[in-house]
Structures are given as structure tokens and as C-alpha cells.
């Protein structure tokens, strides 16, 4: 839930303590290679016991060494079929898929070869079904959820961390072999005519295309909305840390740790956490290397970032985790839920700005990887045919390809889930997830992976209510009527 697509990074990938990005066998618990780490032990910047707030990340800026096919400014032909703004996972995946059919694609980004700074966590079966399992650099055969100090759920579903270097290299290699061009610049403006759009870049270059796709992330101003953006927000602070030791099992990824015993001597933190709870998300790589992330699943208004960091520091003190070095630091803010972009509109969108973030969990990477080929098919059907469908008919088809009615209705249900979660305090969240992970795996796995139909989501709700404890049922009944009424109204509008 926490390590999905991040749009507010703080530190690039570590160069000194670099995890081996070569793919490992599924369910591997092999100790990741740490390169040249010993030299830091002579002058180690140890933090005070259990705290990491006074340490600076050791990571250095890094770019891939890759020979891209650059757009030549001297080329008089500045017209493409598709221009994609952004070279994150969403943009590169779409470029890879569209260009397979001979469609002329140009990707524009201020730094196309920069490493993505974010940790992406995914369910192994999702990447396996996409043929991307070789992009995982670490897997755990099980995940676990700490409901409280007395109850732990063990989930028989493997989890993996995406090897960012290998993942991006694979997408770039496929783009290069398909003839995708790249332009290193920032897009300032997008203009539209009846059958063509153009972008103006900060280097003075203007490029034209039949379709412009916005894959530049949540902060984009190119994608338009016609409804108020009443998002919830997932906020988190994460560190990849070298530690003396940690208490986590190496064969289990910690999906959620809702325990709050670490706040026993922090009455103010405990009171706030009881109202707006956070949990720990942890990836143990070996006994001395672990990724730790304190996460607010969803809040509105936004939880204070310093509050999240202080809660994490208190938790690590209680767990006896002494952070010796912060290798990477990750600051995360993800808008969740809210309305979809205006459908259709002249700019197509994919990724964070297109509404693909799971409104109840924050997951997006796997879903974007799965939907990019579907969007590519809609684009190719228009631009790859002799008919050359362009203008408004093109925009209508590609937007409906990404967001058909069934998918829009399902998203309303997921947003209903987010609105209900917003109303839960710590005890409510614990009771909810206690019942949720007792569901038939088909339902809880399908919900987290955004692959349930609207009818299946309704069945999930009834099953969840039946499985819940009486206090949890009371919590749900008293807190979900308003979100439920809002969802029914939105579904009625979608059906018109």
C-alpha cells in the first residue's frame, strides 16, 4: 500500500549501498548484495538509539548509462503520432506498447535517464501475469499484518520489490527497439487545434502530434477536471536503513503493522494516532538492511508530515531498531479518490493524473502496467489505421478505452471504500482489516488488485459485513451511510 508510485521524491537511488538489481528467483530470501559498505564503518554516523531524524541519506544522484534515440532539433519534421509527457513507469510503458505497432512516439521529460527514486512494492502474481517478474529484485513468500499486539494475520500471497534500475532499463530497451524518440526538456504549454496538438518546451522547441498523453504525475496542469478535487491523501515517510538488527522475519514482508504499544510513553502521539492512525510497512532484506515506512493510509485533511516522522521514531525506539545509516529517504504524498478527469478531453492521461491510483490503498504501478496495453490498443486503432481517426472522435475512443463504464462504476465503489476508511479511528481500522483479511482470498486479493467487477464488489461488501465483529458492524453502519449515498448518486449519474 505504501510503496506505490510516488510523485514527491526526496532522494535518488543509493549509489554506495546499492541493492543488487539483478533478478532473483521467486520467493528468494537470498541476502541482497551491498556494495562497498564496509568503508563507512570506520566513521559511521550513528544516530541516538532508535532515532533516524538526525541522519542524512547517503544516496547520490544517479542516471542510467543508456544510449537513447534523441530527437534531433535540426530535423524539420517535428510531427509525431503520439507525444508522451513524462518518462515515469506509466509514460514508458505506454510508449513501449504503442510503438510496437509502428506508431511514431516521442517522450519528453527534463531528465529521461534519471533513476526513479521511489520504492515500488507489488504482488508477485500481478507482475508475473504481465511478464515483468524478472524486474523484481527481491521477493517474500508471505506477507503479514499486525492487527494489534495480540493478533497477526499471515497472508499466503508473495510480495516483491521492483528493481527500479532493471525495470526502467527494460522499458527503455523496448522503447529503443521500437524506434521511440526522446527529447530532454520541460513542457511549458500544450495547444490544441481541431485535428492536431502541439507542445511548447522550455528550450524553445515546439513539437506536434495527433495525440498528446500526460504521464507527468499528480502535479500536472495539462489534464483538466470538471468537478471539485476532494481527494484523500496518503502520506508516508520511508527509509532504506542499515541497522544493528531488527525484529522482522526475513521470509515475510510486513504489509501493515497497526500496533501502538510504542506510544506508551508518548501520550500526545498516542491520542493523535488513535484518531488518525498510521501503520508501519516494512521490507526486511537481511538482518541488517530493511526498508521501513510509516504510512497514513488515507487522511483528509492531510496529516502532518512531521507527525508521521515522530511516530516512526517512537516506533523504532520501541522495537529496538538502531539506525546506523539512512541509505535512502522517501517522502510520499499521494492524492487518492476524488473525481476522474474530464472525459473526454484533448489531452489523454495515464498514471497518477488519470485517476488510476487505487482510492482505498494507493496502489497503482501494477494496474498502470496492465492498462497501458489496453489504452495502446485504442490509440493504435485510431492512429494506426488508414482511416486516421483524429480530433474529438480520437479523444473519445482513447478515454473510453481507459475508463469504460464498468471500470468507472467499480472506481466509485473503491472511492466509497476510501470515504469509509476516512471515518475510522485506530480501533475501527483494526476491526476492519481483521475482517477484511478473513475474506475468501479471491475477494481481498481482487480488491487490492482492482480486478473485481461491480457485482463482485457488492458481494465482497456483504461478506465483509457478515465476517465483521459486532462492534465493527456497528462502526460500519454508523459511518458509511453518507459515503454510500454519495456512491449511489455518482453511479446513477454514470449510468445516465
Amino acid at each position: 500500500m505504501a510503496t506505490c508510485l510516488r510523485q514527491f521524491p526526496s532522494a535518488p537511488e543509493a549509489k554506495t549501498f546499492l541493492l543488487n538489481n539483478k533478478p532473483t528467483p521467486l520467493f528468494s530470501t537470498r541476502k541482497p548484495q551491498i556494495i562497498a559498505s564496509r568503508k563507512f564503518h570506520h566513521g559511521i554516523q550513528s544516530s541516538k538509539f532508535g532515532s533516524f531524524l538526525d541522519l542524512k541519506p547517503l544516496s547520490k544522484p544517479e542516471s542510467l548509462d543508456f544510449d537513447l534515440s534523441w530527437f534531433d532539433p535540426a530535423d524539420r519534421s517535428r510531427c509525431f503520432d503520439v507525444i508522451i509527457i513524462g518518462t515515469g513507469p506509466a509514460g514508458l510503458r505506454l510508449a513501449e506498447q504503442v510503438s510496437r505497432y509502428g506508431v511514431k512516439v516521442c517522450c519528453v521529460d527534463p531528465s529521461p535517464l534519471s533513476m526513479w527514486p521511489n520504492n515500488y512494492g507489488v504482488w508477485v502474481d500481478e507482475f508475473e501475469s504481465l511478464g515483468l517478474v524478472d524486474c523484481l529484485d527481491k521477493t517474500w513468500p508471505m506477507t503479514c499484518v499486525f492487527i494489534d499486539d495480540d493478533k497477526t494475520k499471515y497472508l499466503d500471497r508473495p510480495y516483491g520489490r521492483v528493481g527500479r534500475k532493471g525495470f526502467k532499463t527494460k522499458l527503455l530497451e523496448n522503447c529503443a527497439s521500437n524506434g521511440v524518440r526522446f527529447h530532454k526538456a520541460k513542457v511549458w504549454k500544450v495547444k490544441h487545434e481541431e485535428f492536431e496538438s502541439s507542445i511548447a518546451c522550455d528550450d524553445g522547441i515546439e513539437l506536434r502530434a495527433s495525440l498528446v498523453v500526460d504521464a507527468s504525475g499528480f502535479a500536472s496542469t495539462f489534464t483538466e477536471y470538471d468537478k471539485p478535487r476532494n481527494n484523500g491523501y496518503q502520506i508516508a515517510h520511508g527509509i532504506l536503513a542499515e541497522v544493528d538488527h531488527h525484529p522482522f522475519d526475513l521470509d515475510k514482508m510486513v504489509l501493515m503493522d497497526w500496533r501502538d504499544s510504542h506510544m506508551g510513553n508518548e501520550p500526545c502521539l498516542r491520542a493523535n494516532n488513535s484518531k488518525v492512525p498510521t501503520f508501519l510497512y516494512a521490507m526486511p532484506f537481511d538482518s541488517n538492511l530493511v526498508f521501513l515506512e510509516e504510512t497514513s493510509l488515507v487522511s483528509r485533511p492531510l496529516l502532518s508530515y512531521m507527525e508521521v516522522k515522530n511516530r516512526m521514531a517512537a516506533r523504532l525506539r520501541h522495537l529496538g531498531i538502531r539506525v546506523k545509516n539512512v541509505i535512502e529517504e522517501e517522502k510520499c504524498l499521494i492524492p487518492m479518490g476524488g473525481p476522474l478527469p474530464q472525459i473526454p478531453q484533448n489531452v489523454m492521461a495515464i498514471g497518477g493524473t488519470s485517476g488510476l491510483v487505487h482510492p482505498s490503498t494507493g496502489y497503482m504501478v501494477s494496474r498502470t502496467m496492465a492498462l497501458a496495453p489496453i489504452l495502446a490498443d485504442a490509440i493504435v486503432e485510431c492512429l494506426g489505421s488508414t482511416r486516421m481517426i483524429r480530433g474529438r472522435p480520437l479523444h473519445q475512443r482513447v478515454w473510453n478505452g481507459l475508463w469504460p463504464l464498468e471500470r468507472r462504476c467499480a472506481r466509485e465503489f473503491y472511492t466509497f471504500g476510501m470515504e469509509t476508511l476516512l471515518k475510522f479511528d485506530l480501533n475501527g481500522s483494526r476491526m476492519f482489516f481483521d475482517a477484511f483479511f478473513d475474506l475468501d482470498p479471491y475477494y481481498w486479493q481482487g480488491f487490492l488488485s482492482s480486478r473485481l467487477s461491480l457485482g463482485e464488489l457488492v458481494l465482497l461488501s456483504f461478506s465483509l459485513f457478515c465476517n465483521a465483529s459486532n462492534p465493527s458492524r456497528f462502526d460500519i453502519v454508523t459511518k458509511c451511510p453518507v459515503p454510500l449515498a454519495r456512491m449511489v448518486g455518482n453511479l446513477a449519474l454514470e449510468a445516465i
Side-chain angles (χ1 to χ4, degrees):
M1 285 175 207
T3 53
C4 51
L5 187 62
R6 310 296 193 194
Q7 292 297 321
F8 298 86
S10 64
E13 187 176 19
K15 202 169 187 177
T16 306
F17 279 75
L18 182 63
L19 288 175
N20 185 6
N21 278 321
K22 294 181 180 179
T24 59
L26 286 186
F27 318 141
S28 167
T29 55
R30 177 174 63 84
K31 184 174 179 179
Q33 181 182 359
I34 304 178
I35 301 174
S37 62
R38 297 296 179 189
K39 66 181 181 180
F40 285 98
H41 289 231
H42 298 295
I44 195 168
Q45 293 184 331
S46 297
S47 65
K48 59 186 178 181
F49 186 79
S51 179
F52 60 90
L53 300 180
D54 54 335
L55 297 180
K56 300 297 182 183
L58 299 176
S59 55
K60 305 289 185 182
E62 184 181 15
S63 294
L64 287 175
D65 183 14
F66 193 90
D67 187 17
L68 291 177
S69 298
W70 299 101
F71 166 75
D72 184 359
D75 190 348
R76 293 185 179 182
S77 176
R78 298 187 176 185
C79 189
F80 295 87
D81 296 317
V82 179
I83 291 173
I84 298 175
I85 305 172
T87 57
L92 288 183
R93 174 69 165 174
L94 184 61
E96 169 204 58
Q97 293 295 311
V98 172
S99 60
R100 291 171 55 202
Y101 300 94
V103 174
K104 293 175 60 179
V105 179
C106 182
C107 292
V108 183
D109 189 279
S111 187
L113 290 174
S114 290
M115 274 304 307
W116 301 322
N118 320 103
N119 278 280
Y120 304 136
V122 299
W123 299 104
V124 170
D125 57 89
E126 292 180 340
F127 257 43
E128 195 170 36
S129 67
L130 295 168
L132 296 172
V133 73
D134 60 326
C135 295
L136 302 179
D137 67 1
K138 174 67 177 178
T139 60
W140 294 265
M142 294 185 70
T143 54
C144 64
V145 177
F146 293 95
I147 301 298
D148 54 32
D149 286 306
D150 300 317
K151 183 177 289 187
T152 303
K153 303 280 186 182
Y154 295 99
L155 311 177
D156 188 18
R157 191 184 186 192
Y159 200 84
R161 190 189 88 145
V162 177
R164 293 163 290 181
K165 185 175 182 179
F167 187 29
K168 184 165 187 176
T169 298
K170 180 171 183 172
L171 292 177
L172 286 174
E173 286 175 346
N174 292 339
C175 287
S177 63
N178 295 339
V180 175
R181 294 288 182 267
F182 290 83
H183 184 52
K184 186 175 181 178
K186 181 177 177 62
V187 177
W188 285 112
K189 185 184 296 184
V190 181
K191 297 185 293 185
H192 304 285
E193 299 177 5
E194 185 177 2
F195 297 115
E196 189 178 70
S197 299
S198 63
I199 63 167
C201 302
D202 62 353
D203 59 357
I205 296 293
E206 184 174 296
L207 303 175
R208 303 184 306 278
S210 298
L211 179 67
V212 172
V213 179
D214 183 6
S216 59
F218 299 113
S220 171
T221 58
F222 305 126
T223 301
E224 298 177 354
Y225 292 78
D226 54 5
K227 297 177 183 177
R229 299 179 68 177
N230 58 329
N231 302 95
Y233 294 92
Q234 183 173 112
I235 186 169
H237 181 78
I239 57 172
L240 178 63
E242 184 193 17
V243 300
D244 279 344
H245 60 83
H246 61 75
F248 307 114
D249 292 338
L250 297 183
D251 63 343
K252 297 178 184 67
M253 182 270 170
V254 181
L255 188 67
M256 295 173 139
D257 182 349
W258 291 103
R259 294 176 294 184
D260 68 341
S261 49
H262 57 286
M263 296 182 180
N265 296 322
E266 306 277 357
C268 184
L269 286 180
R270 177 174 283 234
N272 291 338
N273 187 67
S274 295
K275 297 175 184 176
V276 184
T278 58
F279 63 89
L280 181 70
Y281 173 102
M283 293 176 167
F285 294 100
D286 63 34
S287 58
N288 303 113
L289 185 67
V290 61
F291 178 78
L292 304 159
E293 189 164 62
E294 190 77 18
T295 303
S296 167
L297 181 58
V298 61
S299 63
R300 189 171 61 210
L302 181 65
L303 187 65
S304 161
Y305 183 64
M306 184 53 66
E307 173 83 6
V308 174
K309 293 179 72 173
N310 287 337
R311 292 184 191 182
M312 185 174 180
R315 189 188 296 272
L316 298 193
R317 282 196 298 269
H318 179 77
L319 292 174
I321 298 176
R322 177 176 176 267
V323 178
K324 298 167 68 176
N325 280 294
V326 173
I327 302 164
E328 297 176 3
E329 183 178 72
E330 182 173 301
K331 299 177 182 179
C332 162
L333 177 61
I334 304 175
M336 295 165 59
L340 287 173
Q342 180 181 329
I343 299 176
Q345 59 180 288
N346 293 330
V347 170
M348 185 59 217
I350 191 170
T353 194
S354 68
L356 288 183
V357 173
H358 194 306
S360 300
T361 67
Y363 279 123
M364 184 178 68
V365 173
S366 292
R367 190 169 187 229
T368 300
M369 297 301 104
L371 289 179
I374 297 174
L375 177 56
D377 287 344
I379 294 172
V380 171
E381 182 183 355
C382 296
L383 300 182
S385 69
T386 55
R387 293 177 294 169
M388 283 299 290
I389 300 170
R390 296 186 298 173
R392 186 169 180 80
L394 165 64
H395 304 144
Q396 185 79 50
R397 291 198 184 197
V398 295
W399 273 105
N400 285 339
L402 185 66
W403 286 113
L405 179 60
E406 170 71 16
R407 202 171 291 142
R408 296 200 302 268
C409 290
R411 186 181 183 275
E412 287 294 340
F413 200 100
Y414 290 121
T415 301
F416 160 66
M418 181 200 81
E419 294 291 341
T420 303
L421 288 170
L422 278 167
K423 296 181 178 295
F424 288 157
D425 57 12
L426 176 60
N427 286 331
S429 297
R430 284 171 167 171
M431 290 188 294
F432 175 85
F433 285 107
D434 188 18
F436 179 80
F437 287 113
D438 275 347
L439 294 173
D440 185 304
Y442 177 84
Y443 287 104
W444 70 257
Q445 292 180 15
F447 184 89
L448 295 181
S449 298
S450 304
R451 62 189 182 214
L452 296 182
S453 67
L454 184 59
E456 289 172 329
L457 288 168
V458 173
L459 291 175
L460 177 147
S461 296
F462 283 118
S463 181
L464 181 64
F465 189 79
C466 291
N467 282 348
S469 63
N470 288 331
S472 183
R473 290 177 188 173
F474 179 78
D475 213 22
I476 292 171
V477 167
T478 56
K479 293 178 179 177
C480 81
V482 172
L484 180 62
R486 186 180 299 118
M487 178 189 70
V488 171
N490 289 339
L491 287 174
L493 290 175
E494 289 287 0
I496 294 176

